[in-house]
Amino acid sequence: MGKLFSRTQVGRFELQHRVVLAPLTRMRTDPGNVPGDLMVEYYTQRATEGGLLITDATAVSPLGIAYVDAPGIYTEEQVRGWKRVIEAVHAKGARIFLQMWHAGRQAHPANTGGITPVAPSALRSLEHAAIRDDSGQIAEAELIVPRPLEKAEIPGIVDQFRHGAELAKRAGFDGIELHSANGYLFEQFLLDGTNHRDDEYGGSIENRARFLFDTLDAVVSVWGAGRVAVRLSPSGTYGTMSDSNPHATFGYVADRLNQYDLAYVHVIEPRIRGIVEQETTDVDVTSKDIRRIYKGTIIAAGGFTGESAEQIVTDGHADLVAFGRMFISNPDLPERLRTGAPLTRYDRSTFYGGDARGYTDYTSRADAVAA
Ligand SMILES: Cc1cc2nc3c(=O)[nH]c(=O)nc-3n(C[C@H](O)[C@H](O)[C@H](O)COP(=O)(O)O)c2cc1C
């Protein structure tokens, strides 16, 4: 492998290779949505000298949580928990960005303390949340019609992101990534299928993008240039998402992102819908399309193999590649891709929630040889 294992600059940081851990919700926090020992071990296993890790989607408020036992960044206990993760990752020479998240209408009252989830408009997602049922088991639950946000409430959510960004900085993260993908609150505002507002947060693309860019301004004011990133899924439909003109919507967003000196823009390829493969269409927006508009560093994600990752960075359509499912089952994925070693297959049944099984018990090749 060639370029995938060459050095590159991501914002303020020089990395030694371009294989990134994609943000992955694994639902394994301690009580209080606090990262604990299990998460410290999981991230440490995936940290490499000069590599980049992106965390689980991490909620800026209880109302932002779609999945039980997903992490947060709004309490001091959570800051302490993350600090332990970060110290362990840094000790192995890796960088770690926090993915900051608000689920909007994808949240569920069982995870929000009974509060009705909020969204740009009162439109229900046909997706499911993961909750803990009366017997303590993790169960899927239908989502409910969200409460449309009052205009005056929106700056308060921007402030939650600002506060989360301050806590993330204090915890010691290297940077933050706004989760503006996969059908959560930023995307609910951006796409016209979910945003039917008639105030200055709805209607034109300038208006639909206002919440994202107001938040970006707020978190950049905390972090400064080069340490903030944005994730987009321009052709994603997960979360019952749709837009009448994705090329116009995401062309506008990508162009405006040029005005920020971001660490990177993270683009999910159309072949992936959330976590499963989908058919592609001729209206899809790919990382190649975003590359034509956005001038900074791009991480591509979604269904990559070692070969296709090498290809996209060699072709120059992306600078780095994030891996999700294969990094779950191969904690030493960068080394396996570098050496062409066989990959361990992942077990989908242990993706969400549970204990060490399917989380920290996948062995690296070095462990396997030593055992
Ligand atoms: C178990 C699981 C959890 C995920 N959680 C998140 C998440 O928290 N935030 C996010 O942006 N994407 C999330 N994704 C999407 C991945 O980041 C990635 O885009 C997707 O898995 C496609 O990449 P892959 O083909 O390499 O797995 C998740 C995917 C999986 C499999």
Side-chain angles (χ1 to χ4, degrees):
M1 295 254 171
K3 198 164 179 198
L4 200 55
F5 291 91
S6 62
R7 289 168 185 269
T8 189
Q9 196 74 23
V10 167
R12 292 221 352 226
F13 305 109
E14 192 188 54
L15 301 180
Q16 292 182 20
H17 64 80
R18 299 159 184 245
V19 177
V20 177
L21 174 66
L24 295 165
T25 293
R26 305 302 309 278
M27 294 168 42
R28 281 169 170 89
T29 62
D30 286 353
N33 307 90
V34 174
D37 291 343
L38 206 50
M39 286 178 68
V40 172
E41 190 182 349
Y42 166 81
Y43 282 106
T44 308
Q45 288 176 341
R46 285 157 184 77
T48 50
E49 181 71 37
L52 175 65
L53 310 182
I54 307 168
T55 68
D56 297 44
T58 299
V60 295
S61 75
L63 206 48
I65 299 180
Y67 311 107
V68 65
D69 297 338
I73 187 79
Y74 50 86
T75 70
E76 289 300 323
E77 290 74 17
Q78 291 161 353
V79 173
R80 280 196 288 277
W82 279 123
K83 203 174 255 180
R84 295 182 51 231
V85 171
I86 296 161
E87 280 165 9
V89 165
H90 283 170
K92 289 189 76 178
R95 299 290 177 184
I96 180 163
F97 272 49
L98 177 72
Q99 188 183 56
M100 296 182 68
W101 176 52
H102 194 302
R105 70 177 189 160
Q106 298 285 125
H108 190 280
N111 297 329
T112 62
I115 303 171
T116 302
V118 295
S121 304
L123 298 163
R124 188 166 80 92
S125 164
L126 303 179
E127 240 37 90
H128 290 82
I131 65 165
R132 200 177 298 291
D133 67 16
D134 295 340
S135 64
Q137 298 299 309
I138 290 175
E140 285 200 338
E142 281 196 0
L143 297 171
I144 64 167
V145 178
R147 180 175 69 78
L149 283 159
E150 302 282 339
K151 192 174 102 181
E153 290 178 283
I154 297 173
I157 299 187
V158 173
D159 272 339
Q160 289 172 353
F161 276 92
R162 189 199 320 271
H163 183 237
E166 285 163 0
L167 295 186
K169 202 169 178 189
R170 190 139 57 72
F173 279 106
D174 296 301
I176 55 171
E177 173 184 289
L178 293 184
H179 192 356
S180 183
N182 294 349
Y184 299 110
L185 189 59
F186 289 117
E187 214 183 49
Q188 291 160 28
F189 271 93
L190 275 181
L191 303 197
D192 58 16
T194 38
N195 183 340
H196 292 181
R197 300 180 74 90
D198 56 11
D199 59 12
E200 57 259 50
Y201 293 95
S204 66
I205 173 57
E206 290 83 349
N207 282 354
R208 285 182 278 128
R210 191 178 307 281
F211 171 57
L212 172 62
F213 284 100
D214 283 356
T215 308
L216 196 51
D217 288 335
V219 298
V220 165
S221 76
V222 173
W223 274 91
R227 298 179 70 173
V228 173
V230 175
R231 192 171 214 216
L232 303 170
S233 48
S235 298
T237 52
Y238 178 79
T240 326
M241 300 303 293
S242 65
D243 192 72
S244 59
N245 191 344
H247 278 277
T249 298
F250 287 94
Y252 173 86
V253 171
D255 186 42
R256 255 187 91 178
L257 290 174
N258 278 321
Q259 295 168 17
Y260 297 80
D261 186 15
L262 296 179
Y264 60 85
V265 170
H266 193 169
V267 183
I268 303 173
E269 300 287 5
R271 59 178 167 258
I272 291 292
R273 174 187 184 277
I275 69 164
V276 293
E277 274 71 17
Q278 69 177 356
E279 293 291 316
T280 53
T281 73
D282 54 6
V283 297
D284 286 336
V285 181
T286 62
S287 60
K288 191 172 167 184
D289 296 318
I290 300 294
R291 177 64 121 196
R292 285 196 203 98
I293 302 166
Y294 180 68
K295 306 301 175 209
T297 299
I298 290 182
I299 302 181
F304 282 95
T305 62
E307 288 71 28
S308 59
E310 180 62 36
Q311 193 66 49
I312 198 169
V313 296
T314 304
D315 291 346
H317 303 317
D319 302 288
L320 302 99
V321 177
F323 290 83
R325 292 164 295 177
M326 282 305 178
F327 225 142
I328 288 176
S329 52
N330 296 275
D332 55 345
L333 184 68
E335 188 56 16
R336 290 203 201 192
L337 296 182
R338 196 181 64 76
T339 58
L343 298 180
T344 302
R345 185 75 197 159
Y346 51 80
D347 171 9
R348 206 175 270 278
S349 72
T350 51
F351 275 177
Y352 299 107
D355 49 22
R357 206 167 53 86
Y359 190 53
T360 52
D361 66 351
Y362 288 109
T363 50
S364 71
R365 300 228 343 137
D367 295 340
V369 169

